[in-house]
Amino acid sequence: MENYTYNSIILQLEGLRASEEATYPVFVFFLLFYVAIMVLNIGIFIVITTHRSLHEPMYMLFCNLPINDILGNSIMVPRLLMDILKSPSQRYISYVECVVQAFSTHTYGTTSHTILIIMAIDRYVAICNPLRYQTIMTNKTVITLSALAWGVALLFISILIGLTLRLSRCRTFISNPFCDNASLFKLSCEDVTINNLFGLIYTVLLFGSSMGSIAITYIKITAVCLVTKSKMLNSRALKTCSTHLSLYLIMLISGLIIIVLHRFPAYSDYRKIASLLFHIIPSILNPIIYGVQSSEVRHVLIQVLSFKKSRAVKDV
């Protein structure tokens, strides 16, 4: 018979399961990835915000992504690293901290979608209405789009987590490397039909609006390129849109893998690893892809590195 502990303020996390021999290699693996996430995202954010040549709507909207990557990983990964070094029986977490972690985890995932949606809007205006781009994509518009991206995500996640907080808890064990909404409401012995229903609606709306808006945007951009037959326009569209589409596909595929694996309990261990990689892989690739594929960002980075190299030579 299962033992029940009602409304306990201390929970136990399963954490990341690893053998004793693999503990330190796994710790170093995730630590290096976390350091890479921080360095790359903080670096590209500083480069964009401190160089006036990059103060364009496309880059200012992109700045939302490194902010989201930094916040999303700073709450989840350090806690994961701490738990890796603890024995499974000592991986305790307070209920409040678990709720905060779940809120930040889902906000990270949702905001990744909404930010890429507003970036798609910017690309649509730039390519389909180039003569009106400066009058449409003003600083006010950039701020409004950014606020909408974060506001919509925070609203949906507040409802999602709020529905879980209303439930009483009769269990204390979270079978996951970190806290998320599903792990929290599974602690309850009450009926969670509403939670499952809203979770389904939220997922369908998020992925439907995300994939729909991206598809419509790129269909219209493709139509404009085919009609105008301008080599300059086509080259510009390919250069800027390929970067945005690369970021979107990485994020989308990572999220879909987790959703598919949720339907197969036998592969729960793979799902847990995939959920961790969903945070890590896109967060590392986002700044790399934007830095490599965007000629303006790449040019500024080369200038910065060349300047530091020349200063180092002079100092010697």
Side-chain angles (χ1 to χ4, degrees):
M1 182 179 292
E2 186 175 1
N3 292 323
Y4 295 121
T5 304
Y6 288 90
N7 296 327
S8 173
I9 60 172
I10 302 297
L11 308 175
Q12 186 175 6
L13 270 173
E14 180 184 33
L16 189 63
R17 290 191 293 182
S19 64
E20 188 174 342
E21 296 79 14
T23 296
Y24 288 104
V26 170
F27 175 83
V28 172
F29 174 81
F30 281 102
L31 177 61
L32 291 176
F33 270 109
Y34 178 63
V35 171
I37 289 170
M38 293 296 109
V39 171
L40 290 171
N41 283 283
I42 292 174
I44 197 164
F45 179 79
I46 291 173
V47 166
I48 292 174
T49 54
T50 56
H51 289 79
R52 295 187 64 85
S53 61
L54 297 178
H55 290 182
E56 297 179 12
M58 178 175 66
Y59 300 116
M60 299 315 291
L61 289 174
F62 169 77
C63 279
N64 287 290
L65 270 184
I67 291 172
N68 187 43
D69 291 335
I70 292 166
L71 293 176
N73 285 281
S74 292
I75 294 176
M76 190 272 288
V77 179
R79 173 75 207 199
L80 175 71
L81 291 172
M82 289 172 56
D83 287 337
I84 289 174
L85 297 179
K86 295 179 181 178
S87 65
S89 61
Q90 298 299 317
R91 294 170 181 171
Y92 294 108
I93 185 172
S94 71
Y95 179 68
V96 173
E97 184 182 351
C98 193
V99 170
V100 170
Q101 194 177 80
F103 187 91
S104 68
T105 297
H106 288 284
T107 300
Y108 166 80
T110 305
T111 309
S112 296
H113 282 270
T114 55
I115 291 171
L116 288 169
I117 289 174
I118 64 173
M119 289 174 68
I121 294 172
D122 171 74
R123 291 301 82 211
Y124 170 78
V125 176
I127 295 167
C128 299
N129 294 282
L131 298 179
R132 298 181 58 204
Y133 181 72
Q134 294 300 329
T135 57
I136 295 174
M137 296 303 298
T138 60
N139 289 336
K140 183 179 179 181
T141 304
V142 171
I143 293 171
T144 301
L145 287 173
S146 298
L148 281 172
W150 287 93
V152 169
L154 291 171
L155 175 63
F156 271 96
I157 301 308
S158 295
I159 298 172
L160 187 74
I161 301 298
L163 289 172
T164 298
L165 292 178
R166 68 187 174 86
L167 301 170
S168 61
R169 306 180 302 283
C170 62
R171 303 181 182 91
T172 60
F173 185 73
I174 293 178
S175 180
N176 212 37
F178 56 89
C179 296
D180 59 9
N181 184 60
S183 300
L184 281 172
F185 71 66
K186 285 178 182 177
L187 297 176
S188 178
C189 292
E190 297 180 32
D191 182 13
V192 294
T193 302
I194 295 177
N195 298 73
N196 284 318
L197 181 60
F198 182 80
L200 178 62
I201 294 171
Y202 151 77
T203 303
V204 171
L205 281 176
L206 179 64
F207 278 85
S209 60
S210 172
M211 290 187 289
S213 61
I214 298 295
I216 291 171
T217 299
Y218 279 98
I219 289 172
K220 290 188 174 183
I221 288 174
T222 302
V224 169
C225 292
L226 292 175
V227 170
T228 57
K229 296 180 180 179
S230 168
K231 290 185 178 180
M232 184 178 294
L233 179 65
N234 292 347
S235 176
R236 181 184 177 191
L238 180 63
K239 182 181 69 174
T240 58
C241 293
S242 61
T243 304
H244 173 265
L245 194 58
S246 298
L247 300 182
Y248 180 74
L249 288 175
I250 290 168
M251 182 271 301
L252 182 65
I253 293 170
S254 300
L256 287 175
I257 288 173
I258 297 171
I259 292 175
V260 170
L261 289 175
H262 258 295
R263 302 291 176 264
F264 300 94
Y267 298 101
S268 62
D269 287 339
Y270 294 108
R271 175 184 58 79
K272 292 167 187 176
I273 295 173
S275 64
L276 292 173
L277 296 180
F278 171 72
H279 277 75
I280 293 170
I281 301 301
S283 297
I284 290 177
L285 293 181
N286 287 346
I288 292 176
I289 290 174
Y290 228 84
V292 171
Q293 288 198 232
S294 174
S295 58
E296 291 85 357
V297 174
R298 189 168 64 247
H299 179 67
V300 170
L301 286 172
I302 291 172
Q303 282 185 325
V304 171
L305 294 174
S306 298
F307 176 73
K308 288 185 176 181
K309 185 178 179 180
S310 62
R311 285 195 60 182
V313 171
K314 288 181 181 178
D315 291 339
V316 174

